[in-house]
Amino acid sequence: MLYIVPTPIGNLEDITFRAIRILKKVDFILAENIKNSKKLLNYYKIKNILKSYHSYNEYKIILNIITFLKKGNDIALISDAGTPIISDPGFLLVKYCIKNKIKVSCLPGATAFLPALINSGFYINEFTFIGFLPHKQNNKLKTICKESRTIIIYESPYRILETLFLIKKFLGKKKKKISLCREISKKFEETIIGNINEIIYFFKKKTPKGEFVIILQGN
């Protein structure tokens, strides 16, 4: 069986008892970044084998992984932080497992967008998750800003101001609020809520740090 195991996005205590048990019992763990994942395993005294699995090698090793799983072995997939496959590698592996009738079990656990969404206070019965925008983001953002549902976008500190200025451009006269959440579950966790001009002004005075979750209010 393939286990998809969420790991903490900040505070190392944000992991379930079940996740720890699975990481201890599987034959080995596929990790996006072995060095980062070792910190978590050492913290919980998990002595298991870590093997590298990321977007640069997944096509090369996927058939070997499938062969191993077909023999009745168990593997866990973890990412750097949060739930694998959400803006992280793993989709291809799950697709191959389903194609080969290999059981897949995704454990519930940490992910960045849900706390950010709830902290916004916006209407969330309907929302759209975008993840990281493409590098040429103008057309995508133009469409997003016309959406009536609440929108969730991931963004790096290096592009956050550029993205905010584009949102301002495409929102035009629409008076939508924006919530920016960064460093979720970490020491410097912060949520800023306001209109687009207030948010831009905030980050003109303060250097953006950490990865951001942008929540764009729906109609």
Side-chain angles (χ1 to χ4, degrees), residues 154-185:
Y154 285 170
E155 192 52 279
S156 76
Y158 311 108
R159 295 205 312 169
I160 188 69
L161 269 172
E162 178 191 347
T163 299
L164 289 172
F165 276 113
L166 283 172
I167 288 172
K168 179 181 177 178
K169 176 184 174 182
F170 294 130
L171 279 179
K173 294 181 180 179
K174 290 181 181 177
K175 296 181 179 179
K176 290 188 177 186
K177 282 191 174 182
I178 292 175
S179 173
L180 254 68
C181 210
R182 73 177 190 96
E183 301 289 272
I184 295 168
S185 92

Side-chain angles (χ1 to χ4, degrees), residues 202-217:
F202 181 88
F203 284 108
K204 277 185 174 181
K205 294 177 67 178
K206 184 176 181 179
T207 304
K209 293 181 180 178
E211 289 196 343
F212 290 85
V213 184
I214 303 171
I215 311 292
L216 182 59
Q217 185 182 36

Side-chain angles (χ1 to χ4, degrees), residues 24-200:
K24 286 180 177 178
K25 79 156 197 165
V26 292
D27 293 286
F28 62 83
I29 301 164
L30 293 172
E32 186 181 4
N33 187 307
I34 289 176
K35 186 178 179 181
N36 285 351
S37 297
K38 274 184 177 178
K39 296 174 186 176
L40 176 68
L41 267 60
N42 289 339
Y43 186 84
Y44 285 103
K45 297 179 173 60
I46 299 170
K47 296 177 180 178
N48 206 333
I49 301 163
L50 283 168
K51 295 189 178 184
S52 181
Y53 181 91
H54 46 72
S55 56
Y56 299 106
N57 74 351
E58 59 180 347
Y59 281 95
K60 295 177 184 177
I61 66 173
I62 197 158
L63 292 180
N64 289 336
I65 295 170
I66 294 299
T67 299
F68 187 79
L69 287 166
K70 275 185 169 182
K71 293 177 180 177
N73 299 302
D74 295 325
I75 297 173
L77 173 68
I78 60 176
S79 62
D80 273 0
T83 302
I85 305 172
I86 298 178
S87 296
D88 285 316
F91 167 76
L92 187 69
L93 181 55
V94 171
K95 185 178 178 180
Y96 268 68
C97 283
I98 293 168
K99 184 179 178 181
N100 286 275
K101 295 183 169 56
I102 296 165
K103 285 186 178 180
V104 178
S105 177
C106 182
L107 279 62
T111 189
F113 79 80
L114 276 176
L117 184 63
I118 291 164
N119 286 344
S120 73
F122 299 160
Y123 181 77
I124 59 171
N125 281 17
E126 289 188 355
F127 60 87
T128 301
F129 175 74
I130 303 298
F132 285 100
L133 292 163
H135 286 287
K136 294 181 179 179
Q137 54 185 315
N138 290 38
N139 291 336
K140 185 82 172 177
L141 265 177
K142 191 174 183 179
T143 303
I144 287 168
C145 289
K146 293 177 182 176
E147 260 280 3
S148 59
R149 292 170 289 189
T150 296
I151 300 291
I152 304 161
I153 301 168
Y154 285 170
E155 192 52 279
S156 76
Y158 311 108
R159 295 205 312 169
I160 188 69
L161 269 172
E162 178 191 347
T163 299
L164 289 172
F165 276 113
L166 283 172
I167 288 172
K168 179 181 177 178
K169 176 184 174 182
F170 294 130
L171 279 179
K173 294 181 180 179
K174 290 181 181 177
K175 296 181 179 179
K176 290 188 177 186
K177 282 191 174 182
I178 292 175
S179 173
L180 254 68
C181 210
R182 73 177 190 96
E183 301 289 272
I184 295 168
S185 92
K186 298 178 184 177
K187 183 179 179 180
F188 299 106
E189 179 177 336
E190 186 175 34
T191 299
I192 309 108
I193 301 171
N195 63 45
I196 187 64
N197 289 322
E198 290 168 337
I199 300 293
I200 289 172

